[in-house]
């Protein structure tokens, strides 16, 4: 007998409000879009799930109210590291230096939640003689020789079970948006801090406002259960008992960062009392509505553009096998037109794109069959891609997604 369908979540996972308005749907999307699939058949048969985005009109959080946790399993084989890119590595080094200075991270203990293979945590530890503890169920031994020996890795999801791991600083990059109920993670962090109001907390997430303003529908993926704006990110931190000291956009506005400490007890004059939750504005609701309409228009425009490219007879590849590229490839039947996807991460070479099935190749392999055009999925990397092509003796047309 088949399992009965699970009731869909109807409340906001951030504040438990039922004032949620649905505005976007994408059914049967690849659920594990950043897993490495070793065969085309495995990639085509990957787990799938529905995306139904809803805006909470109370706290401003956007979430996938159709998300089913059982479709996701973070384990070895999950690969979303961007540190192979010189552009991204330069940003990571800049961010590490800034955090070290801002939070006085010298000879301290740092916990990173969702550390991957420890590249960023290694920067924080090596540059200021810090000790690191990294939590991530997808961590592998493969790169341990390439990161700091000052780091201890725990191959597990972070939770209040690890409250006894005390730290002077807790950070997390691109993890909070994967947590079905983000407040659970913040409460676990609060539990580990105890009453030490001098422990700094830093988190970085994708910037939903940037996605909405630019109509980047390729940023909407099943793995992300929540989409934060500065408003909703601040609101959830305050709700969970933190004092927000700074929040800002970075990486060409694609990312959103927040810095916080525990909110002081009443009467404590070390820092001001927690900020009150700010309401969702009418202008933001309008932006959400416009995104829904723009989605249909954007898809139609790209369908026309792709048909014209196909008729031109040009050999086309897509550059970037991460979530943006995979989402784009799953939107259209492109198997015959785009059968190769380029990625500079060597761990992806020879693997296949979730849901769509295209083979992923290293840039050097383009010289075997040079493309006429390259679709660039993220404008941040356009210059780096152009330089790589030039060094390979290639001169394809670069088309921004």
């Amino acid at each position: 007998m088949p399992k009965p369908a699970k009731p869909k979540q109807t409340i906001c996972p951030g504040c438990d409000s039922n004032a949620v308005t649905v505005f976007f749907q994408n059914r049967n999307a690849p659920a594990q879009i950043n897993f490495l699939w070793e065969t085309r058949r495995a990639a085509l048969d990957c787990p799938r799930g529905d995306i139904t985005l809803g805006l909470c009109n109370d706290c401003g959080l956007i979430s996938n109210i159709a998300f089913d946790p059982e479709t996701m399993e973070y384990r070895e084989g999950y690969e979303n590291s961007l540190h192979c890119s010189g552009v991204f590595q330069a940003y990571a080094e800049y961010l590490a230096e800034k955090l070290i200075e801002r939070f006085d991270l010298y000879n301290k203990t740092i916990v990173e939640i969702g550390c991957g293979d420890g590249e960023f945590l290694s920067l924080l530890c090596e540059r200021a003689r810090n000790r690191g503890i990294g939590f991530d169920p997808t961590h592998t031994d493969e790169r341990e020789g390439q990161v700091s020996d000052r780091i201890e890795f725990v191959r597990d999801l972070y939770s209040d079970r690890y409250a006894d791991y005390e730290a002077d600083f807790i950070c997390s990059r691109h993890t909070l948006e994967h947590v079905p109920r983000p407040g659970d993670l913040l409460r676990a962090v609060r539990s580990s801090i105890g009453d030490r109001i001098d422990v700094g907390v830093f988190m970085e997430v994708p910037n939903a406002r940037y996605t909405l303003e630019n109509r980047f529908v390729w940023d909407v993926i099943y793995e992300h259960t929540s989409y934060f704006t500065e408003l909703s990110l601040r609101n959830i931190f305050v709700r969970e008992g933190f004092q927000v000291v700074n929040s800002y956009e970075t990486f060409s506005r694609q990312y959103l960062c927040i810095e916080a400490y525990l909110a002081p007890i009443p009467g404590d004059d070390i820092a001001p009392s927690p900020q009150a939750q700010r309401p969702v504005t009418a202008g933001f609701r309008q932006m959400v509505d416009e995104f829904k309409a723009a989605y249909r228009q954007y898809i139609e425009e790209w369908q026309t553009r792709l048909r014209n490219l196909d008729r031109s007879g040009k050999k086309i590849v897509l550059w970037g096998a991460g979530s943006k590229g995979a989402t784009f490839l799953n939107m259209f039947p492109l198997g015959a037109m785009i059968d190769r996807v380029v990625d500079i991460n060597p761990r992806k070479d020879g693997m296949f794109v979730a849901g769509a099935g295209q083979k992923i190749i290293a840039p050097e392999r383009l010289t075997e069959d040079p493309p006429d055009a390259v679709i660039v999925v993220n404008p941040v990397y356009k210059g780096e891609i152009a330089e790589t092509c030039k060094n390979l003796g290639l001169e394809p047309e670069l088309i921004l997604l």
Side-chain angles (χ1 to χ4, degrees), residues 157-229:
L157 294 170
Y158 184 83
S159 68
D160 54 13
R161 290 176 12 183
Y162 298 105
D164 57 337
Y165 280 75
E166 292 190 355
D168 302 299
F169 180 72
I170 299 175
C171 63
S172 180
R173 301 179 66 220
H174 300 270
T175 297
L176 189 65
E177 69 272 17
H178 292 258
V179 180
R181 294 187 61 82
D184 292 348
L185 180 58
L186 295 181
R187 282 189 289 277
V189 169
R190 182 178 173 85
S191 176
S192 71
I193 293 174
D195 59 359
R196 294 170 296 138
I197 60 174
D198 61 335
V199 176
V201 176
F202 169 85
M203 291 194 182
E204 180 182 84
V205 296
N207 183 7
R209 180 175 288 274
Y210 175 85
T211 296
L212 293 170
E213 287 179 351
N214 293 282
R215 287 81 181 262
F216 287 154
V217 297
W218 330 115
D219 287 340
V220 180
I221 64 173
Y222 189 82
E223 291 179 15
H224 292 176
T225 65
S226 297
Y227 297 80
F228 295 94
T229 61

Coordinates of all heavy atoms in Angstrom, one line a residue, residues 157-229:
L157 N 25.5 16.9 11.3 CA 24.8 18.1 11.3 C 25.0 18.7 12.7 O 24.9 18.0 13.7 CB 23.3 17.9 11.0 CG 23.0 17.4 9.6 CD1 21.6 17.0 9.5 CD2 23.3 18.5 8.6
Y158 N 25.2 20.0 12.8 CA 25.3 20.7 14.1 C 23.9 20.8 14.7 O 22.9 21.0 14.1 CB 25.8 22.1 13.9 CG 26.1 22.9 15.1 CD1 27.3 22.7 15.8 CD2 25.2 23.8 15.6 CE1 27.6 23.4 17.0 CE2 25.4 24.5 16.8 CZ 26.6 24.3 17.5 OH 26.9 25.0 18.6
S159 N 23.9 20.5 16.0 CA 22.7 20.6 16.8 C 23.0 20.9 18.3 O 24.2 20.9 18.6 CB 21.9 19.3 16.7 OG 22.6 18.2 17.4
D160 N 22.0 21.0 19.1 CA 22.3 21.2 20.5 C 23.0 20.0 21.2 O 23.4 20.1 22.4 CB 21.0 21.6 21.3 CG 19.9 20.6 21.1 OD1 20.1 19.5 20.6 OD2 18.7 21.0 21.5
R161 N 23.1 18.9 20.5 CA 23.9 17.8 21.1 C 25.3 18.2 21.2 O 26.1 17.6 22.0 CB 23.8 16.6 20.1 CG 22.5 15.9 20.0 CD 22.5 14.8 19.0 NE 23.8 14.4 18.6 CZ 24.0 13.5 17.6 NH1 23.0 12.9 17.1 NH2 25.3 13.2 17.2
Y162 N 25.8 19.2 20.5 CA 27.2 19.7 20.6 C 27.3 21.0 21.4 O 28.3 21.7 21.1 CB 27.7 19.8 19.2 CG 27.7 18.5 18.4 CD1 26.7 18.3 17.4 CD2 28.6 17.5 18.7 CE1 26.7 17.1 16.7 CE2 28.6 16.3 18.0 CZ 27.6 16.1 17.0 OH 27.6 14.9 16.3
A163 N 26.4 21.2 22.3 CA 26.5 22.4 23.1 C 27.8 22.5 24.0 O 28.2 23.6 24.4 CB 25.3 22.5 24.0
D164 N 28.4 21.3 24.2 CA 29.6 21.4 25.0 C 30.9 21.8 24.3 O 31.9 21.9 24.8 CB 29.8 20.0 25.7 CG 29.9 18.9 24.7 OD1 29.4 19.0 23.6 OD2 30.5 17.8 25.0
Y165 N 30.7 22.0 22.9 CA 31.8 22.5 22.2 C 31.9 24.0 22.3 O 31.2 24.7 21.5 CB 31.7 22.1 20.7 CG 32.1 20.7 20.4 CD1 31.3 19.6 20.7 CD2 33.3 20.4 19.7 CE1 31.7 18.3 20.4 CE2 33.7 19.1 19.4 CZ 32.9 18.1 19.8 OH 33.3 16.8 19.5
E166 N 32.6 24.5 23.2 CA 32.6 26.0 23.5 C 33.5 26.7 22.5 O 34.5 26.1 22.0 CB 33.1 26.3 24.9 CG 32.1 25.8 26.0 CD 32.5 26.4 27.3 OE1 33.5 27.0 27.4 OE2 31.7 26.2 28.3
A167 N 33.1 27.8 22.1 CA 33.9 28.6 21.1 C 33.9 30.1 21.4 O 33.0 30.6 22.1 CB 33.3 28.4 19.7
D168 N 34.9 30.8 20.9 CA 34.9 32.3 21.1 C 34.2 33.0 19.9 O 33.9 34.1 20.0 CB 36.4 32.7 21.1 CG 37.2 32.1 22.2 OD1 36.8 32.3 23.4 OD2 38.1 31.3 21.9
F169 N 34.0 32.2 18.8 CA 33.3 32.8 17.6 C 32.7 31.6 16.9 O 33.2 30.5 16.7 CB 34.4 33.4 16.8 CG 33.9 34.0 15.5 CD1 33.1 35.2 15.5 CD2 34.1 33.5 14.2 CE1 32.6 35.8 14.3 CE2 33.7 34.0 13.1 CZ 32.9 35.2 13.1
I170 N 31.4 31.8 16.4 CA 30.7 30.8 15.7 C 30.3 31.4 14.4 O 29.7 32.5 14.3 CB 29.4 30.3 16.5 CG1 29.9 29.7 17.8 CG2 28.6 29.3 15.7 CD1 28.7 29.4 18.7
C171 N 30.6 30.7 13.3 CA 30.2 31.2 12.0 C 29.6 30.1 11.1 O 29.7 28.9 11.4 CB 31.5 31.8 11.2 SG 32.8 30.6 10.9
S172 N 28.9 30.5 10.1 CA 28.2 29.6 9.2 C 28.0 30.3 7.9 O 27.4 31.4 7.9 CB 26.9 29.1 9.8 OG 26.2 28.2 9.0
R173 N 28.4 29.7 6.8 CA 28.2 30.3 5.5 C 27.4 29.3 4.6 O 27.7 28.2 4.4 CB 29.6 30.6 4.9 CG 30.4 31.5 5.7 CD 31.8 31.7 5.1 NE 31.6 32.5 3.8 CZ 32.4 32.2 2.7 NH1 33.2 31.2 2.7 NH2 32.2 32.9 1.6
H174 N 26.3 29.8 4.1 CA 25.4 29.1 3.2 C 25.0 27.8 3.8 O 25.0 26.7 3.1 CB 26.1 29.0 1.8 CG 26.4 30.3 1.3 ND1 25.6 31.0 0.4 CD2 27.5 31.1 1.4 CE1 26.1 32.1 0.1 NE2 27.3 32.3 0.7
T175 N 24.5 27.8 5.0 CA 23.9 26.7 5.7 C 22.5 26.9 6.2 O 21.6 26.1 6.1 CB 24.9 26.3 6.8 OG1 26.1 25.9 6.3 CG2 24.3 25.1 7.6
L176 N 22.3 28.1 6.8 CA 21.0 28.4 7.4 C 19.9 28.3 6.4 O 18.8 27.8 6.8 CB 21.0 29.9 7.9 CG 19.8 30.3 8.8 CD1 19.8 29.5 10.1 CD2 19.9 31.8 9.1
E177 N 20.1 28.6 5.1 CA 19.0 28.4 4.1 C 18.6 27.0 3.8 O 17.6 26.7 3.2 CB 19.4 29.2 2.9 CG 20.5 28.6 2.0 CD 21.9 29.0 2.5 OE1 22.0 29.6 3.6 OE2 22.8 28.8 1.7
H178 N 19.5 26.0 4.3 CA 19.2 24.6 4.1 C 18.4 24.0 5.2 O 18.0 22.8 5.1 CB 20.5 23.9 3.9 CG 21.2 24.2 2.6 ND1 21.2 23.4 1.5 CD2 22.0 25.2 2.3 CE1 21.9 23.9 0.5 NE2 22.4 25.1 1.0
V179 N 18.3 24.7 6.3 CA 17.7 24.2 7.5 C 16.2 24.3 7.5 O 15.7 25.5 7.3 CB 18.2 24.9 8.8 CG1 17.6 24.3 10.1 CG2 19.8 24.7 8.8
P180 N 15.4 23.2 7.6 CA 13.9 23.3 7.4 C 13.3 24.3 8.4 O 12.4 25.1 8.0 CB 13.4 21.9 7.7 CG 14.6 21.0 7.3 CD 15.8 21.8 7.7
R181 N 13.8 24.4 9.6 CA 13.3 25.4 10.6 C 14.5 26.1 11.1 O 15.2 25.7 12.0 CB 12.5 24.8 11.7 CG 11.2 24.1 11.3 CD 10.4 23.7 12.5 NE 10.0 24.7 13.4 CZ 9.0 25.6 13.2 NH1 8.2 25.5 12.1 NH2 8.8 26.5 14.1
P182 N 14.9 27.3 10.4 CA 16.1 28.0 10.8 C 16.3 28.3 12.2 O 17.4 28.4 12.7 CB 16.1 29.2 9.8 CG 14.7 29.3 9.4 CD 14.1 28.0 9.4
G183 N 15.2 28.6 12.9 CA 15.3 28.9 14.3 C 15.9 27.8 15.1 O 16.5 28.1 16.2
D184 N 15.7 26.6 14.7 CA 16.3 25.4 15.4 C 17.8 25.6 15.5 O 18.5 25.3 16.5 CB 15.9 24.1 14.8 CG 14.5 23.8 14.9 OD1 13.8 24.5 15.7 OD2 14.0 22.8 14.2
L185 N 18.4 25.9 14.4 CA 19.9 26.1 14.3 C 20.3 27.2 15.2 O 21.3 27.1 16.0 CB 20.4 26.3 12.9 CG 21.9 26.5 12.7 CD1 22.7 25.3 13.2 CD2 22.2 26.8 11.3
L186 N 19.6 28.4 15.2 CA 20.0 29.5 16.0 C 19.8 29.2 17.5 O 20.6 29.6 18.3 CB 19.1 30.7 15.6 CG 19.4 31.3 14.2 CD1 18.5 32.5 14.0 CD2 20.8 31.6 14.0
R187 N 18.8 28.4 17.8 CA 18.7 28.0 19.2 C 19.8 27.0 19.7 O 20.3 27.1 20.8 CB 17.3 27.3 19.5 CG 16.2 28.3 19.5 CD 14.9 27.7 20.0 NE 14.3 26.8 18.9 CZ 13.6 27.2 17.9 NH1 13.3 28.5 17.8 NH2 13.1 26.4 17.0
A188 N 20.3 26.2 18.8 CA 21.4 25.3 19.1 C 22.7 26.2 19.3 O 23.5 25.9 20.2 CB 21.6 24.3 18.0
V189 N 22.9 27.2 18.5 CA 24.0 28.1 18.7 C 23.9 28.8 20.0 O 24.8 28.9 20.8 CB 24.1 29.1 17.5 CG1 25.1 30.2 17.8 CG2 24.4 28.4 16.2
R190 N 22.7 29.3 20.3 CA 22.5 30.0 21.6 C 22.8 29.1 22.8 O 23.4 29.5 23.8 CB 21.0 30.5 21.7 CG 20.7 31.3 22.9 CD 19.3 31.8 22.9 NE 19.0 32.4 24.2 CZ 19.3 33.7 24.5 NH1 19.9 34.4 23.7 NH2 18.9 34.1 25.7
S191 N 22.4 27.8 22.7 CA 22.6 26.9 23.7 C 24.1 26.7 24.0 O 24.5 26.5 25.1 CB 21.9 25.5 23.4 OG 22.2 24.5 24.4
S192 N 24.8 26.6 22.9 CA 26.3 26.4 23.1 C 27.0 27.6 23.7 O 28.0 27.5 24.4 CB 26.9 26.0 21.7 OG 27.0 27.1 20.9
I193 N 26.4 28.8 23.4 CA 27.0 30.0 23.9 C 26.8 30.2 25.4 O 27.6 30.7 26.2 CB 26.5 31.3 23.2 CG1 27.0 31.2 21.7 CG2 26.9 32.6 23.8 CD1 26.4 32.3 20.8
G194 N 25.6 29.7 25.9 CA 25.3 29.9 27.3 C 25.0 31.3 27.6 O 24.3 32.0 27.0
D195 N 25.7 31.8 28.6 CA 25.6 33.2 29.1 C 26.7 34.1 28.7 O 26.9 35.2 29.2 CB 25.3 33.3 30.6 CG 26.5 32.7 31.4 OD1 27.4 32.2 30.8 OD2 26.4 32.7 32.6
R196 N 27.6 33.6 27.7 CA 28.8 34.4 27.3 C 28.4 35.4 26.2 O 28.5 35.0 25.0 CB 29.9 33.4 26.9 CG 30.4 32.5 28.0 CD 31.3 31.4 27.5 NE 30.5 30.5 26.6 CZ 31.0 30.0 25.4 NH1 32.2 30.4 25.0 NH2 30.3 29.2 24.7
I197 N 28.1 36.6 26.6 CA 27.6 37.5 25.7 C 28.7 38.1 24.8 O 28.5 39.0 23.9 CB 26.8 38.7 26.3 CG1 27.7 39.4 27.3 CG2 25.6 38.1 27.0 CD1 27.1 40.6 27.9
D198 N 30.0 37.7 25.0 CA 31.1 38.2 24.2 C 31.4 37.3 23.0 O 32.3 37.6 22.3 CB 32.3 38.4 25.1 CG 32.8 37.0 25.7 OD1 31.9 36.1 25.9 OD2 34.0 36.9 26.0
V199 N 30.6 36.2 22.8 CA 30.9 35.3 21.7 C 30.2 35.9 20.5 O 29.0 36.0 20.4 CB 30.3 33.9 22.0 CG1 30.5 33.0 20.8 CG2 31.0 33.3 23.2
G200 N 31.0 36.1 19.5 CA 30.4 36.7 18.2 C 29.8 35.6 17.3 O 30.3 34.4 17.3
V201 N 28.8 35.9 16.6 CA 28.1 35.0 15.6 C 28.1 35.7 14.3 O 27.7 36.8 14.2 CB 26.7 34.6 16.1 CG1 26.0 33.7 15.1 CG2 26.8 33.9 17.5
F202 N 28.5 34.9 13.2 CA 28.5 35.5 11.9 C 27.8 34.4 11.0 O 28.2 33.2 11.1 CB 29.9 35.8 11.4 CG 29.9 36.0 9.9 CD1 29.7 37.3 9.4 CD2 30.2 35.0 9.0 CE1 29.7 37.6 8.0 CE2 30.3 35.3 7.6 CZ 30.0 36.5 7.1
M203 N 26.9 34.8 10.1 CA 26.3 33.9 9.2 C 26.2 34.7 7.8 O 25.9 35.9 7.8 CB 24.9 33.4 9.6 CG 25.0 32.5 10.8 SD 23.5 31.5 11.1 CE 24.0 30.6 12.5
E204 N 26.3 33.9 6.8 CA 26.2 34.4 5.4 C 25.2 33.5 4.6 O 25.3 32.2 4.7 CB 27.5 34.3 4.7 CG 27.5 34.8 3.3 CD 28.9 34.7 2.6 OE1 29.3 33.6 2.1 OE2 29.7 35.7 2.7
V205 N 24.3 34.1 3.9 CA 23.3 33.4 3.2 C 23.1 34.0 1.8 O 23.5 35.2 1.6 CB 21.9 33.4 3.9 CG1 22.0 32.6 5.2 CG2 21.4 34.8 4.1
P206 N 22.5 33.3 0.8 CA 22.1 34.0 -0.4 C 21.2 35.2 -0.2 O 20.3 35.1 0.7 CB 21.4 32.9 -1.2 CG 22.0 31.6 -0.7 CD 22.1 31.9 0.8
N207 N 21.3 36.2 -0.9 CA 20.5 37.4 -0.8 C 19.2 37.4 -1.6 O 19.3 37.5 -2.8 CB 21.3 38.7 -1.1 CG 20.6 40.0 -0.9 OD1 19.5 40.0 -0.4 ND2 21.2 41.1 -1.4
A208 N 18.1 37.1 -1.0 CA 16.8 36.9 -1.7 C 16.4 38.2 -2.4 O 15.8 38.2 -3.5 CB 15.7 36.5 -0.8
R209 N 16.7 39.4 -1.8 CA 16.4 40.6 -2.5 C 17.1 40.8 -3.8 O 16.5 41.2 -4.8 CB 16.7 41.8 -1.6 CG 16.3 43.2 -2.2 CD 16.5 44.3 -1.3 NE 15.5 44.3 -0.2 CZ 14.3 44.9 -0.3 NH1 14.0 45.5 -1.4 NH2 13.5 44.8 0.7
Y210 N 18.3 40.4 -3.9 CA 19.1 40.4 -5.2 C 18.4 39.5 -6.2 O 18.2 39.8 -7.4 CB 20.5 40.0 -4.9 CG 21.4 39.8 -6.1 CD1 22.0 40.9 -6.7 CD2 21.6 38.6 -6.8 CE1 22.8 40.8 -7.8 CE2 22.4 38.5 -7.9 CZ 23.0 39.6 -8.4 OH 23.8 39.5 -9.5
T211 N 18.0 38.3 -5.7 CA 17.3 37.3 -6.6 C 16.0 37.9 -7.1 O 15.7 37.8 -8.3 CB 17.1 36.0 -5.9 OG1 18.3 35.4 -5.5 CG2 16.3 35.1 -6.7
L212 N 15.2 38.5 -6.3 CA 13.9 39.0 -6.7 C 14.1 40.2 -7.6 O 13.4 40.3 -8.6 CB 13.1 39.4 -5.4 CG 12.7 38.3 -4.5 CD1 12.1 38.8 -3.2 CD2 11.6 37.4 -5.2
E213 N 15.0 41.2 -7.2 CA 15.1 42.4 -8.0 C 15.6 42.1 -9.5 O 15.2 42.7 -10.4 CB 16.1 43.3 -7.4 CG 15.6 44.0 -6.1 CD 16.6 44.9 -5.5 OE1 17.8 44.9 -5.9 OE2 16.2 45.7 -4.5
N214 N 16.5 41.1 -9.6 CA 17.1 40.8 -10.9 C 16.3 39.6 -11.6 O 16.8 39.2 -12.7 CB 18.5 40.4 -10.7 CG 19.4 41.6 -10.3 OD1 19.7 42.5 -11.0 ND2 19.7 41.7 -9.0
R215 N 15.3 39.1 -11.0 CA 14.5 38.0 -11.6 C 15.3 36.8 -11.9 O 15.2 36.2 -12.9 CB 13.8 38.5 -12.8 CG 12.6 39.5 -12.6 CD 13.0 40.9 -12.3 NE 11.9 41.8 -12.0 CZ 11.3 42.6 -12.9 NH1 11.7 42.5 -14.2 NH2 10.4 43.4 -12.6
F216 N 16.3 36.5 -11.0 CA 17.1 35.3 -11.2 C 16.4 34.1 -10.7 O 16.6 33.6 -9.6 CB 18.5 35.5 -10.5 CG 19.4 36.5 -11.1 CD1 20.3 37.2 -10.4 CD2 19.3 36.8 -12.5 CE1 21.2 38.1 -10.9 CE2 20.1 37.7 -13.1 CZ 21.1 38.4 -12.3
V217 N 15.6 33.6 -11.6 CA 14.8 32.4 -11.2 C 15.7 31.1 -11.1 O 15.3 30.2 -10.4 CB 13.7 32.1 -12.3 CG1 12.7 33.2 -12.4 CG2 14.3 31.9 -13.7
W218 N 16.9 31.2 -11.6 CA 17.8 30.1 -11.5 C 18.4 29.9 -10.0 O 19.0 28.9 -9.7 CB 19.0 30.2 -12.4 CG 18.6 31.0 -13.7 CD1 19.1 32.2 -14.0 CD2 17.7 30.6 -14.7 NE1 18.5 32.6 -15.2 CE2 17.6 31.7 -15.6 CE3 16.9 29.5 -14.9 CZ2 16.8 31.6 -16.8 CZ3 16.0 29.5 -16.0 CH2 16.0 30.5 -16.9
D219 N 18.1 30.9 -9.2 CA 18.6 30.8 -7.8 C 17.6 30.1 -6.9 O 17.9 29.9 -5.7 CB 18.8 32.3 -7.2 CG 20.0 32.9 -7.8 OD1 20.9 32.2 -8.3 OD2 20.1 34.2 -7.7
V220 N 16.4 29.7 -7.4 CA 15.4 29.1 -6.6 C 15.6 27.6 -6.8 O 15.3 27.0 -7.8 CB 14.0 29.4 -7.1 CG1 12.9 28.7 -6.3 CG2 13.8 31.0 -7.0
I221 N 16.1 26.9 -5.7 CA 16.4 25.5 -5.8 C 15.8 24.8 -4.6 O 15.5 25.4 -3.6 CB 17.9 25.2 -5.8 CG1 18.6 25.7 -4.5 CG2 18.6 25.9 -7.0 CD1 20.1 25.3 -4.4
Y222 N 15.6 23.5 -4.7 CA 14.9 22.7 -3.7 C 15.7 22.7 -2.4 O 15.1 22.6 -1.3 CB 14.6 21.3 -4.2 CG 13.7 20.5 -3.3 CD1 12.3 20.7 -3.4 CD2 14.2 19.6 -2.4 CE1 11.5 19.9 -2.5 CE2 13.4 18.9 -1.6 CZ 12.0 19.0 -1.6 OH 11.2 18.3 -0.8
E223 N 17.0 22.6 -2.5 CA 17.8 22.5 -1.3 C 17.7 23.7 -0.4 O 17.9 23.6 0.8 CB 19.3 22.4 -1.7 CG 19.7 21.1 -2.4 CD 21.1 21.1 -2.8 OE1 21.9 21.9 -2.3 OE2 21.5 20.2 -3.6
H224 N 17.3 24.8 -0.9 CA 17.1 26.0 -0.1 C 15.7 26.0 0.4 O 14.7 26.3 -0.4 CB 17.4 27.3 -0.9 CG 18.9 27.4 -1.2 ND1 19.4 28.5 -2.0 CD2 19.9 26.7 -0.9 CE1 20.7 28.3 -2.1 NE2 21.0 27.3 -1.5
T225 N 15.5 25.8 1.7 CA 14.2 25.8 2.2 C 13.7 27.2 2.6 O 12.5 27.5 2.7 CB 14.1 24.9 3.5 OG1 15.0 25.5 4.5 CG2 14.6 23.5 3.2
S226 N 14.7 28.1 2.8 CA 14.4 29.5 3.1 C 15.2 30.5 2.3 O 16.3 30.1 1.8 CB 14.7 29.8 4.6 OG 13.9 29.0 5.5
Y227 N 14.6 31.6 2.0 CA 15.2 32.7 1.2 C 15.1 34.0 2.1 O 14.0 34.5 2.4 CB 14.5 32.9 -0.1 CG 14.6 31.6 -1.0 CD1 13.8 30.5 -0.8 CD2 15.6 31.5 -2.0 CE1 13.9 29.4 -1.5 CE2 15.7 30.4 -2.7 CZ 14.9 29.3 -2.5 OH 15.0 28.1 -3.2
F228 N 16.3 34.5 2.5 CA 16.4 35.6 3.4 C 16.7 36.9 2.7 O 17.5 37.0 1.9 CB 17.5 35.3 4.4 CG 17.2 34.2 5.3 CD1 17.8 32.9 5.0 CD2 16.5 34.3 6.5 CE1 17.6 31.8 5.9 CE2 16.3 33.2 7.3 CZ 16.8 32.0 7.0
T229 N 15.9 37.9 3.2 CA 16.3 39.3 2.9 C 16.9 39.8 4.2 O 16.9 39.2 5.3 CB 15.1 40.2 2.6 OG1 14.2 40.1 3.7 CG2 14.4 39.6 1.3

